[in-house]
Amino acid sequence: MTFQRIVVGLLILVIAGLAGAFYIDWKLATQLRTVKAFVEGYVFADAVAACEKAPSSTPFKWNGGTRTAVIGLNSVKLDKYTVSASYTLVADNVYCDYDPIKKKADIGSNFLDRD
């Protein structure tokens, strides 16, 4: 009888622990989405301006484009200590990667090949 009570008590603790972990994960994911949306909104105007001014043989026209899309804020961990961020926009099949740290736009570039 004592063994059964111990097993039931441990089972209840495991279920409560899992429920707590899922709740914390849900709260953190919600906060992360909120922060990402805020950062994307903050960077958007700078990204559009930099992409339209970037020198390229194929001009980037966000305001005059017929098909525009925001791919969003991405990051790649290049090594143990370096994370590189990119905000990508597409206007009429012309891709533009904007680096919010360096405030530099590259049109038609591959994000992984940038400096």
Side-chain angles (χ1 to χ4, degrees):
M1 190 71 169
T2 306
F3 177 73
Q4 290 174 342
R5 288 182 182 171
I6 292 172
V7 170
V8 170
L10 289 175
L11 184 62
I12 290 172
L13 284 174
V14 167
I15 290 171
L18 285 173
F22 282 120
Y23 175 75
I24 290 171
D25 181 55
W26 173 73
K27 289 295 280 185
L28 288 176
T30 303
Q31 289 177 351
L32 182 63
R33 281 193 306 269
T34 303
V35 169
K36 184 178 178 189
F38 175 77
V39 169
E40 286 181 349
Y42 181 75
V43 171
F44 177 75
D46 293 337
V48 169
C51 287
E52 286 187 341
K53 292 178 186 175
S56 175
S57 60
T58 56
F60 185 86
K61 302 284 186 193
W62 180 266
N63 293 322
T66 56
R67 292 179 25 209
T68 59
V70 176
I71 293 177
L73 189 65
N74 306 302
S75 65
V76 173
K77 191 166 188 176
L78 300 176
D79 59 25
K80 187 176 180 181
Y81 302 107
T82 307
V83 175
S84 182
S86 172
Y87 189 77
T88 306
L89 301 171
V90 181
D92 295 331
N93 293 327
V94 177
Y95 287 81
C96 179
D97 290 328
Y98 175 71
D99 187 347
I101 306 297
K102 296 178 184 175
K103 305 245 186 237
K104 180 182 172 196
D106 293 321
I107 294 179
S109 67
N110 185 352
F111 170 63
L112 295 175
D113 294 338
R114 289 192 316 179
D115 294 335

